[in-house]
Each structure stands twice: as C-alpha cells, then as structure tokens.
Amino acid sequence: MRKNLNKMLPKVYGRYFNLLARVSPKKAAEKAFYVFCTVRKGRVLPNQKEYLDQAKNGTINVQGHTLQTYAWPGNKETVLLVHGWESNTFRWRNLIAKLREADYNIVAFDAPAHGYSSGQYLNLPLYSDGVQAMIEKYDPKYLIGHSMGGMTLMYNEFHHQNAHVEKMVTIGSPSEFYEIMDHYQKLLNFNDKVRKALEAFVLDRFGFTVNEFSSSRFAKKNTKKGLLLHDELDKLAPFHASEAVHAQWKGSSFIRTKGLGHSMHQEHVNDQIVDFLKN
C-alpha cells in the first residue's frame, strides 16, 4: 500500500503544478522548485551515530544554516570531503580509513538538511556556499566530492578559483543541470508551461539558465589537477557526465569502472584516490 502511494505521489504533485500553472505559472514554479529541493533522507542513522559523534568538530553558520563539521587530524595536507544528495559524512568512512593510514588531515561537513546540519532544503549554490566556508576556514589542498558533492566542487571552483587548492576528485558526479531537470519533469509528468516557469524561476533566483549550469562548461576554466571516477553502469548519475567533464578539463585524469555502482566505496577505488593525492 505504502509503495503504491509513494509511486503515485510524484504524479499527484505534477498534476497539481499543471493546474496551478493555469492560474499562476510563477506560483507553480516556486512550488515545483521547493519540492525539487526537499531532502527526504540523509539524517544520521543509529548505526552511523557513534562513528560521526567521535569526529564532531564544532559547527559553521552558512546562509542561516548551522552545519556540522568533522575532523580526523593528521600531519599531511588537509583534505575536504563533500558528500552527495540524501547522504552524510558517514558515507566517507572507508576512504577516511585510507586517508588516515596515509596521515592526511581530514575535514568534512554535513550539507544543509543532511546529517546533523539544520534545514529542510538543499540547492547546489547553497551547498557551494558551505564548501567555500569550509575552504576559507580549513584551507584544504585537496577536495573530494561524491555525486552532487562533485558537481558542487566544479561549480564552486568556477566561481572562486581558490588558489591554495591543488587537486580535485569527483566520484560518480552528474554534469548537466538540464538533464536533472528533464528527469524531474518526467518523474512528475508536469507540462512544458510549468517547466518554462521553473526555468525562469531558476534564472531569476540564481542568475544562470538551466543550460548554463553545467560541470562540463565549468571545467573549461578549471586549472587544478583533477581525477574523475565513474562507473559505466551507474544508474543515478549518467556515465557520459564524467566523460564530458574530462573532455573539457585539461588537467584531469579519468578512471572508468564497470559494475561498482554509484557509491564506489570499494578498497581499490579508495587506493586510487589516495595514490592520486600522493603523486
């Protein structure tokens, strides 16, 4: 019963947006935007609590949000870890073990509305503000992002070009915002009137079009050394996204895998990331 309700809910939202757009496209767009940005998972689960609580390292305030930060001290360069959508810092536990073995100084934080951080919604420019606050506070040399976290790093670098950052790693990250919007429209089945109003809302709010928001476009200006990892069979972020970014990012290397899934927690994957930081 609950499964059927969950399947029906997106279409109910879509019909509602379609009806509302007849009266007020702007209102329909705003509602569609907030449904899109609503975070439904990613809070700290009971089995994650002990691990995360031991590494808590205070909070930072960003755009009215209180964001939980974490630290695993080491003597080598500082690495900042940026998790993906509906996840939290616990997702990095396997890579953190490898980075600690190599004696890196590790910092991380929970995105707004994720983990222990405050909020209900997340959008990528807001996440980028959190990343920038962490960069300014901890001065990391290396940045590693998974999924939406990797896309956020590409956007953040495009806007800030932080001089002290030397290397960036993205894992299973999407590239084109219009593809994400295509998926959202298909999932909810809202019409092109709503889509047009939603795109106008994004432009008005953030100052860029849906097509302009593109990691492959951001990569053209990226002068850092980069490593992209992506699985060919990734069902959540298309493999061609990292191919497109790599093609535009002059200083990047690309590792393609097959059958590892979206999360890519495997030991040999983490070894390759640590090797990239070392060399």
Side-chain angles (χ1 to χ4, degrees):
M1 177 74 173
R2 182 175 282 184
K3 220 175 216 179
N4 288 338
L5 276 173
N6 287 341
K7 276 184 182 175
M8 285 165 57
L9 193 59
K11 306 298 183 197
V12 171
Y13 272 123
R15 282 198 291 272
Y16 169 60
F17 298 153
N18 290 343
L19 287 168
L20 187 56
R22 291 181 188 177
V23 185
S24 173
K26 201 172 180 181
K27 274 239 170 72
E30 187 176 1
K31 296 277 186 190
F33 177 76
Y34 280 105
V35 168
F36 178 72
C37 295
T38 298
V39 180
R40 294 165 184 84
K41 290 190 295 186
R43 291 297 181 187
V44 176
L45 299 173
N47 67 306
Q48 301 172 345
K49 197 173 181 307
E50 186 182 354
Y51 180 83
L52 292 175
D53 287 356
Q54 288 174 351
K56 278 183 175 177
N57 189 44
T59 59
I60 55 171
N61 296 312
V62 175
Q63 302 290 350
H65 291 274
T66 302
L67 306 184
Q68 180 64 54
T69 68
Y70 304 91
W72 291 266
N75 294 306
K76 288 175 75 177
E77 296 89 348
T78 299
V79 182
L80 171 63
L81 304 175
V82 184
H83 68 75
W85 176 256
E86 294 188 332
S87 181
N88 61 51
T89 297
F90 184 76
R91 72 97 42 219
W92 293 114
R93 64 201 178 281
N94 294 348
L95 179 58
I96 287 167
K98 291 284 183 187
L99 290 169
R100 292 185 80 184
E101 272 177 39
D103 201 23
Y104 285 103
N105 185 50
I106 308 155
V107 294
F109 72 110
D110 293 329
H114 291 72
Y116 283 119
S117 295
S118 70
Q120 187 181 350
Y121 308 105
L122 180 66
N123 61 67
L124 207 144
L126 171 62
Y127 202 3
S128 174
D129 289 341
V131 167
Q132 190 57 27
M134 290 292 288
I135 289 171
E136 288 171 6
K137 184 169 183 178
Y138 293 105
D139 195 25
K141 269 197 176 175
Y142 307 140
L143 312 177
I144 304 175
H146 174 250
S147 195
M148 181 192 182
M151 196 176 186
T152 302
L153 292 183
M154 297 303 294
Y155 172 80
N156 187 76
E157 172 61 21
F158 180 76
H159 280 274
H160 295 283
Q161 290 106 49
N162 292 288
H164 292 142
V165 172
E166 290 181 6
K167 295 180 182 179
M168 295 170 60
V169 180
T170 71
I171 307 162
S173 294
S175 171
E176 311 304 314
F177 187 42
Y178 78 84
E179 290 184 343
I180 297 169
M181 201 57 77
D182 287 349
H183 175 72
Y184 183 51
Q185 182 175 11
K186 192 176 176 184
L187 182 68
L188 271 63
N189 199 26
F190 56 75
N191 60 35
D192 287 341
K193 190 172 186 178
V194 176
R195 171 69 177 256
K196 196 176 172 185
L198 182 54
E199 292 194 6
F201 181 89
V202 168
L203 178 59
D204 183 58
R205 172 120 181 214
F206 300 111
F208 53 75
T209 68
V210 166
N211 283 355
E212 284 171 339
F213 197 95
S214 155
S215 291
S216 60
R217 186 174 79 89
F218 301 150
K220 290 177 187 178
K221 277 177 67 175
N222 198 326
T223 58
K224 308 289 192 264
K225 280 188 181 175
L227 175 66
L228 302 104
L229 301 103
H230 213 128
D231 194 82
E232 289 178 29
L233 306 179
D234 192 329
K235 290 178 180 175
L236 296 178
F239 175 74
H240 66 249
S242 290
E243 283 186 309
V245 174
H246 175 54
Q248 299 296 339
W249 189 356
K250 282 180 186 168
S252 69
S253 303
F254 184 27
I255 295 173
R256 60 196 293 159
T257 64
K258 192 167 185 178
L260 300 187
H262 181 62
S263 293
M264 299 184 76
H265 288 301
Q266 292 81 1
E267 185 173 13
H268 68 280
V269 170
N270 291 327
D271 284 336
Q272 287 171 307
I273 292 169
V274 175
D275 284 346
F276 170 71
L277 300 186
K278 281 179 179 176
N279 298 314

